[in-house]
Amino acid sequence: MAYSEKVMEHFANPRNVGEMEDPSGVGEVGNSKCGDIMRMYIKVEGDVITDVKFMTFGCGAAIATSSMATELVKGKTIKEALTLTNKAVMEALDGLPAVKVHCSVLAEQAIKAAVSDYYTRQGIDPVSIVGVLEECEDCHDVEEE
Amino acid sequence: MELNGKKVIYADNAATTSVSPAVLDAMLPFYKEFYGNPSSLYSVGNAAKKPLEDARAVVAKCLGALPNEIYFTSGGSESDNWAIKGAAHKMLKQGKNHIITTKFEHHAVLHTCAALEKEGFTVTYLDVHENGIVVPEELEAAITEKTALVTVMYANNEIGTIQPISEIGAICKKHGVLFHTDAVQAVGNVHINVKEQNIDMLFLSGHKLHAPKGVGALYIRRGLVLPNLIDGGAQERSRRAGTENVAGIVGLAKAMEIAHETMDEKNLKLRRMQDKLITEILKIDRSRLNGDREKRLPGNISFCFEGIEGESLLLMLDMKGVCASSGSACTSGSLDPSHVLLAIGLRHEVAHGSLRLSFSDVNEESDVDYIIEVLPQIVERLRAMSPLWDAIIHGKEIN
């Protein structure tokens, strides 16, 4: 298994890493048992995501996909951010090894979880806008052990 | 060591080792001049026959065995498949269908036992407890009249703990049960005597002790006849046919000879390095040493750092020029962290943050100093971006 140069570059120099003071929304996905947790903070002004921060516990791909996802949604409208797919994150990183695809899924879900939390804080039911965030199937298997 | 002009500290000698210059020198004539088939009559071939038998005598001597009890193989996995399956099938004819092993054997042994379970054998997997050591009394209690074989590793590959092999050998002898041990990590690092320790079968692998990959040996006690592994020519007393890997075998014997001559001196140095590294690294908050502090191989050290994941740790160490390994799920290609770390009772999230550093005599004390300098910084950097660490230090609920 080898990572692309882009993955290694984002892993070595992650963008938008850290906590955020007074975020508009926070989303956390994954679990410690599986070895991946991603937490995304967003700051929303109007309908634009003006700032994003992440914190990730996980492998090189987990950190790189988190970093790339923050770059891809920063400055975008919420509507645009919700169209972010794991595939787009992978492509932007010049691909991921097959066993690491789930990291990109987590990155997509972390963004959606943060947007859901933003709507919830606004008193708006997020389900009709963001949809139901599904548990990572792999993680589910582990929990059922 | 340098790679592409960059200084590299190789701290993964439990995975594999470099071929030492003396070993390579011993091997080269068998590629260049004495390349003939040892079974041939003419001198180019015949010249390889004596070195082959000399090598067998050297390997036997290092183990306290007789030369005709040593069978050369391609390495560890082949050897233990032959020994375990061969012994199990032999004993089944006497109505014995039970095997005793441990929860933290190498997969080469565990998966071989699993294959036998599919055939109908019953396998008992002994606990190895928090210190990573089998309790002989528990092993004895697991023996039944159906027990064919006990297979317990000499020293664990991931956490380095050394098992009470002499006690287990005595118990097996008392109950008339065959005793097999995986000595891949132990050979060259501890003094072994198969006769005194009542070991019936033992296997080793060349590439763990500065011989090349693709060569190993299986000791089978005289009088114990296993089914042939490979039928064919008369090589290896007709039990494992195929033209011998002469150069590899000569290299293996040379490496074992050197390891045995230098073992005590080398271990003093490695113990010093180990003690220093453990003392300094355990100063890191919420770090732990895996396995018993004393009963461990001198070159093997396994840590866990809470709140971080092992693969990230390895990548960052690699960027600093340090080669190491981890039992995290991400490095194993599965979702579960190492079965060894789970067997010593670690929670999944702690086992994910594991790091194994393994040294040999080619390492210098300055390697340890460098690791002591860079490792705490890396742990701190990864923790600074970890929501799990944030939860741990603030006592928050963790998913």
Side-chain angles (χ1 to χ4, degrees):
Chain A
M1 186 194 78
Y3 288 131
S4 69
E5 276 181 32
K6 203 108 178 231
V7 170
M8 284 311 295
E9 205 273 311
H10 271 262
F11 170 73
N13 308 292
R15 288 31 156 197
N16 306 310
V17 65
E19 286 183 90
M20 186 186 283
E21 295 279 317
D22 300 319
S24 313
V26 185
E28 192 170 295
V29 294
N31 72 55
S32 57
K33 206 177 168 191
C34 290
D36 295 297
I37 303 175
M38 284 185 199
R39 186 191 293 168
M40 291 277 178
Y41 302 87
I42 53 170
K43 180 90 83 188
V44 180
E45 285 170 28
D47 65 344
V48 175
I49 297 173
T50 54
D51 197 13
V52 199
K53 292 266 189 219
F54 81 89
M55 287 181 78
T56 290
F57 158 75
C59 62
I63 290 169
T65 53
S66 306
S67 168
M68 182 53 85
T70 62
E71 283 217 311
L72 291 172
V73 300
K74 196 171 177 177
K76 300 280 167 63
T77 63
I78 288 179
K79 204 177 156 191
E80 286 168 330
L82 286 176
T83 62
L84 179 75
T85 62
N86 77 298
K87 206 162 161 257
V89 174
M90 276 200 290
E91 278 168 8
L93 287 167
D94 295 336
L96 282 176
V99 293
K100 300 293 185 182
V101 172
H102 76 102
C103 294
S104 66
V105 175
L106 279 180
E108 176 196 320
Q109 288 185 332
I111 297 287
K112 289 190 167 137
V115 172
S116 287
D117 182 55
Y118 163 73
Y119 281 122
T120 304
R121 289 179 189 210
Q122 303 291 310
I124 301 164
D125 178 11
V127 174
S128 62
I129 307 165
V130 184
V132 178
L133 294 175
E134 285 175 27
E135 282 261 333
C136 168
E137 271 180 40
D138 293 337
C139 295
H140 203 62
D141 287 345
V142 174
E143 281 175 341
E144 277 175 1
E145 261 178 32
Chain B
M1 181 171 85
E2 286 208 352
L3 192 70
N4 302 328
K6 202 174 104 181
K7 185 179 159 65
V8 170
I9 290 173
Y10 185 75
D12 202 15
N13 288 279
T16 195
T17 58
S18 55
V19 174
S20 75
V23 167
L24 190 60
D25 284 347
M27 290 171 65
L28 285 176
F30 297 93
Y31 289 121
K32 289 175 164 175
E33 295 161 62
F34 311 118
Y35 53 80
N37 192 317
S39 304
S40 314
L41 278 177
Y42 43 79
S43 58
V44 173
N46 213 315
K49 188 71 183 167
K50 189 172 180 298
L52 189 67
E53 293 316 313
D54 288 348
R56 201 181 305 280
V58 168
V59 172
K61 189 166 173 247
C62 292
L63 300 174
L66 298 167
N68 62 9
E69 293 177 314
I70 303 298
Y71 296 86
F72 290 116
T73 65
S74 68
S77 298
E78 177 191 320
S79 302
D80 84 74
N81 269 263
W82 184 13
I84 295 172
K85 288 175 182 165
H89 291 148
K90 180 186 173 71
M91 298 311 286
L92 187 62
K93 290 178 186 156
Q94 298 174 27
K96 298 191 175 189
N97 63 354
H98 176 227
I99 297 164
I100 299 171
T101 186
T102 76
K103 288 180 177 169
F104 77 161
E105 297 296 304
H106 191 279
H107 283 137
V109 168
L110 281 184
H111 290 172
T112 302
C113 290
L116 288 168
E117 277 183 300
K118 282 188 181 165
E119 289 181 26
F121 283 87
T122 311
V123 181
T124 300
Y125 297 92
L126 294 172
D127 278 330
V128 291
H129 306 278
E130 200 198 337
N131 64 352
I133 295 175
V134 170
V135 175
E137 291 75 18
E138 291 177 5
L139 184 142
E140 186 163 23
I143 295 176
T144 71
E145 58 184 18
K146 292 280 190 187
T147 305
L149 172 73
V150 168
T151 176
V152 174
M153 68 201 321
Y154 208 118
N156 184 268
N157 50 315
E158 282 189 42
I159 59 172
T161 51
I162 299 170
Q163 303 306 305
I165 293 301
S166 299
E167 284 97 317
I168 295 171
I171 290 167
C172 290
K173 191 183 178 193
K174 181 175 137 193
H175 292 273
V177 174
L178 291 175
F179 177 35
H180 169 254
T181 186
D182 163 359
V184 165
Q185 297 288 336
V187 167
N189 293 312
V190 297
H191 291 286
I192 296 173
N193 188 302
V194 290
K195 302 297 169 194
E196 288 172 8
Q197 295 176 290
N198 295 301
I199 299 168
D200 295 303
M201 292 166 282
L202 172 149
F203 71 98
L204 58 99
S205 177
H207 75 103
K208 307 289 189 187
L209 65 154
H210 300 287
K213 295 161 186 68
V215 64
L218 174 65
Y219 150 79
I220 308 173
R221 180 178 46 76
R222 189 170 57 171
L224 172 61
V225 180
L226 298 185
N228 293 348
L229 178 67
I230 302 173
D231 292 308
Q235 296 91 352
E236 302 305 297
R237 298 156 66 85
S238 301
R239 307 251 174 93
R240 198 258 188 200
T243 300
E244 299 91 342
N245 171 10
V246 180
I249 289 166
V250 168
L252 171 64
K254 187 70 187 172
M256 282 187 71
E257 187 178 66
I258 295 169
H260 278 254
E261 279 170 4
T262 59
M263 190 188 301
D264 294 334
E265 194 188 334
K266 175 197 78 174
N267 284 353
L268 276 178
K269 175 182 150 191
L270 289 177
R271 283 273 178 225
R272 227 173 21 241
M273 289 162 62
Q274 186 182 57
D275 283 342
K276 189 174 184 182
L277 190 62
I278 291 173
T279 304
E280 291 304 313
I281 296 306
L282 288 185
K283 288 178 183 170
I284 295 175
D285 190 21
R286 290 184 189 255
S287 59
R288 54 163 287 149
L289 175 74
N290 298 316
D292 196 274
R293 178 78 165 80
E294 303 301 326
K295 292 174 186 164
R296 60 189 308 118
L297 294 173
N300 186 312
I301 308 154
S302 169
F303 294 112
C304 278
F305 304 101
E306 286 186 42
I308 62 172
E309 194 280 324
E311 191 207 85
S312 296
L313 188 56
L314 295 189
L315 291 171
M316 286 209 173
L317 278 170
D318 184 41
M319 293 193 287
K320 295 280 185 189
V322 179
C323 310
S325 66
S326 170
S328 89
C330 282
T331 55
S332 71
S334 81
L335 279 169
D336 285 322
S338 137
H339 67 285
V340 174
L341 299 175
L342 297 180
I344 60 167
L346 296 190
R347 287 177 286 123
H348 272 68
E349 57 268 35
V350 176
H352 284 305
S354 72
L355 172 70
R356 180 186 70 182
L357 297 161
S358 49
F359 301 96
S360 85
D361 43 356
V362 297
N363 290 102
E364 296 299 332
E365 305 211 26
S366 60
D367 293 352
V368 163
D369 294 334
Y370 180 72
I371 291 168
I372 289 168
E373 186 191 322
V374 298
L375 183 54
Q377 299 164 12
I378 291 172
V379 171
E380 195 184 324
R381 187 161 175 226
L382 287 168
R383 280 176 171 175
M385 66 171 96
S386 167
L388 180 60
W389 179 247
D390 181 50
I392 290 167
I393 55 169
H394 293 110
K396 291 181 199 162
E397 194 76 14
I398 309 165
N399 269 336

